[in-house]
Amino acid sequence: MNISGKIFDIKKYAIHDGPGIRTTVFLKGCPLTCGWCHNPEGLWSAPKIIYEFNRCIGCGDCIEACREAAISATPSGMSTDRHRCKGCGLCVDACPGGARELTERTVTVDQLVEIIKQDILFYDESGGGVTFSGGEPLLQADFLIEVLKACGLCEIHRIVDTSGYANRSIIEEVARQTDLFLFDLKLIDSERHKQFTGVPNQTILDNLVFLHNLEADVTVRIPLIPGINDDPENLSQICGFLLPLKGIRDVHILPYHDYQKNKYSKLGMEYTADEIVVPPPERVSNSLKQFEEKGFQVSIGG
Ligand code: SF4
Ligand code: SF4
């Protein structure tokens, strides 16, 4: 089967998305709406084109190139109507200033696997492999499963980096084709989870227990977001939830950073998490200690 999927980036030689040297594939679409999201271009609702005003020389070639009449000149630069834009990329090819970039492309299973296979030597020498991230990779489950199967046939180590928000049948099918899950946990209080991510967390917690009972290899990742989930009470609740899951002892704490703000402005999207500050080092180390004291193996970052 050579079905296709939508991706928004492929990062080669990645060293923070699991062990060794990896290729990270970012799949488009996410059911969550976290305001601090580091990859806003991964949301279905994101524009398909990134535009950089500073690189634009105002030549108008993009307007000529667009068959959908989606681009117009405005006093603040070239504006793209996201409802008209089909993501064909013609304006990107036509742009002499490199001011336009496509954030979404369609690839078949075979095309993607060929790209992943290019670096098999690096994976073998470093203990690396491929990581599927997003967005939420489980949202394109049929495509993901076919790519995972093909990578498995090539003996490439496979990681799925997920929010865990998916149907049980998808989790079960993906688990058969995955060597390691990087599983995000943010908040144990479901109301607060819904408030800050747009969805309640029962499905996520149930899926984590399910993966544990399947004896899947799972590392829990906790994005540390000041004012939202970095309070000792929430971290203590996460410890309490994980402690009975004796097969899960690896925890990665991912401190919030704000490098992504620039992406929002280039996409023409509003950044709604401006009030969040980068956590001070002592807050990060206190969080680490809280988990270490309970017997978890904790690292900061990927
Ligand atoms: S990607 Fe295609 S449809 Fe979208 S603005 Fe560019 S030329 Fe027009
Ligand atoms: S083609 Fe590129 S440089 Fe020319 S107006 Fe469009 S965005 Fe600007």
Side-chain angles (χ1 to χ4, degrees), residues 16 219-222 251-255 284 288 298-302:
H16 297 296
T219 293
V220 166
R221 285 183 145 190
I222 303 170
V251 171
H252 292 174
I253 292 176
L254 311 177
V284 177
L288 179 138
V298 195
S299 62
I300 304 295

Side-chain angles (χ1 to χ4, degrees), residues 5-18 22-30 37-44 102-107 112 115-116 130-140 143-144 147 159-162 182 221 263:
K6 288 193 187 304
I7 62 172
F8 63 92
D9 201 5
I10 296 176
K11 189 167 69 178
K12 290 194 157 214
Y13 314 116
I15 52 168
H16 297 296
D17 299 320
R22 313 192 70 82
T23 294
T24 304
V25 181
F26 295 87
L27 281 84
K28 185 101 175 176
C30 186
C37 178
H38 290 169
N39 294 324
E41 70 274 44
L43 303 173
W44 283 127
L102 211 48
T103 65
E104 176 181 314
R105 64 176 158 135
T106 301
V107 286
L112 183 53
I115 295 170
I116 294 166
V130 60
T131 299
F132 298 94
S133 184
E136 169 50 69
L138 301 183
L139 212 54
Q140 297 186 65
F143 173 68
L144 175 67
V147 179
I159 291 180
V160 172
D161 176 11
T162 178
L182 301 179
R221 285 183 145 190
K263 275 195 202 172

Side-chain angles (χ1 to χ4, degrees), residues 39 70 88 96 101 117 156 158 171 219 230 245 277 284 290 293:
N39 294 324
C88 67
E101 192 185 320
K117 278 163 60 179
I156 296 172
R158 302 154 298 179
I171 293 277
T219 293
D230 68 332
L245 308 180
V277 294
V284 177
Q290 213 175 329
E293 282 166 3

